[in-house]
Amino acid sequence: MKALCWNGINDLKVERVPDPYILNEGDAVVRLTMSSVCGSDLHLLDGYVPTMKAGDIIGHEFMGEVIEVGPGVKKLKRGDRVVVGSVLGCGSCEFCQSDQWSLCDNSNPNPEILEKAYGYAGAGIFGYSHAFGGYAGSHAEYIRVPYADHGAFKVPEGVKDEAAVFTSDAFPTGYMAADMCGIERGDTVVVWGAGGVGQMAMQSAYLLGAERVIAIDRYGDRLAKAKQYAKAEVLNYEEVDILEALKEMTGGRGPDRCIDAVGMEAHTTGMEQYYDKAKQTLRLQTDRPAVLRQAIMACRKGGTVSIVGVYGGLLDKFPMGAAMNKALTLRMGQMFAQKYIPKLLERVAAGEVDPSYMLTHKWTLDQGPEGYRMFKEKTDNCMRVVFTPSQ
Ligand SMILES: [Zn+2]
Ligand SMILES: [Zn+2]
């Protein structure tokens, strides 16, 4: 089959690779109809996620048609139209049983790598390096889906592919960001990053009772979409001082809940950007925490900072004093796909949220390298490029 493979930093190629097959009894093989790019893929392209190997297939937000199931699969059959969560969970360990699927004890066959880095390893993730299990990703014609009964969900009739595909990753991640905030009626929620996950976090904040949502980014088209579709007030951090603006907008009190939907490659302005970029380049810090610093500083006393932007390693100049002395709650994690996807599919089917506006470019798999270039450089108002491998 054809697949989009990582070959090194900023080096993607469409290659011929062997077709996947049923390896374990709980596997399914899915023919991919849609596979989206995600902001966290850019960390792979930029070389900030170690343990990638030349030839690895990337991509983790996807949907398709089941073409084969292993003998242990009970809920799915050939021909089912499914969306698959980006994070793998076995369904039977204590973490999966308590709905904390990204902490699964069994779905990462290479735990020793993360055990060294983090103390304990979390779940495997499709197409996201050997540290996260070495699973082949979704930018391909076919994919093997382990633990298929737990991770693949039938798409309700009437939900179009363009909306369903984002319930794989962007929507559940954004929803979990809002859920972790512990939103109370009347709250003001600020979301840093108006990309796919940020847009979904904004809409989810309203679903969970927020009164007001404020979006921060530097791209006009993303802020315009945040305003139009997610009913957010918007701030461009290249034009205003974010801390001052947020203080002013909240009567001097500060926003109640702050969501970081950016992660380790945050951009900011002035000296801070040069400082972080230099330290990251020299490997004196692995991640650039400009957004996280801002969120902690901006948050009102006793508020919540919720982090779904991906971080990999170590941060510098982390304002721990502010977090401690303001009694902030910090919550974070890779998303619990299997916990949220069924509920979110229902919400999409009911017409409460339509994530399809995030799909700005629908391309063939052969256009993969070009699609990622565009997504990375954010040209042509690109928000999400979706590949259609079997069309
Ligand atoms: Zn993602
Ligand atoms: Zn598990």
Side-chain angles (χ1 to χ4, degrees), residues 43 237 260 262-268 273 276-277 280 287-292 311:
H43 311 319
Y237 68 82
D260 173 357
V262 176
M264 65 167 92
E265 292 187 74
H267 288 91
T268 186
Q273 174 68 17
D276 278 336
K277 186 85 192 166
Q280 189 180 41
D287 303 13
R288 304 200 302 261
V291 160
L292 194 49
Y311 289 88

Side-chain angles (χ1 to χ4, degrees), residues 243-356:
L243 294 183
E244 266 178 37
L246 289 175
K247 194 176 257 185
E248 207 164 284
M249 290 166 86
T250 54
R253 187 168 170 272
D256 305 286
R257 320 287 167 196
C258 296
I259 293 174
D260 173 357
V262 176
M264 65 167 92
E265 292 187 74
H267 288 91
T268 186
T269 51
M271 266 313 289
E272 191 182 0
Q273 174 68 17
Y274 293 111
Y275 175 88
D276 278 336
K277 186 85 192 166
K279 286 204 88 164
Q280 189 180 41
T281 306
L282 295 169
R283 297 292 191 252
L284 295 170
Q285 68 176 353
T286 55
D287 303 13
R288 304 200 302 261
V291 160
L292 194 49
R293 289 186 197 119
Q294 222 169 56
I296 288 172
M297 294 304 291
C299 194
R300 73 148 160 90
K301 292 183 280 183
T304 309
V305 174
S306 167
I307 307 160
V308 289
V310 173
Y311 289 88
L314 305 172
L315 309 179
D316 189 35
K317 305 277 186 289
F318 183 81
M320 194 60 200
M324 194 275 162
N325 288 289
K326 288 199 291 180
L328 299 186
T329 300
L330 265 57
R331 295 201 60 189
M332 62 200 84
Q334 297 278 1
M335 62 111 174
F336 305 149
Q338 297 81 343
K339 173 180 177 179
Y340 294 111
I341 289 174
K343 290 180 211 163
L344 298 181
L345 278 171
E346 277 173 30
R347 287 196 184 263
V348 174
E352 288 174 48
V353 177
D354 180 5
S356 63

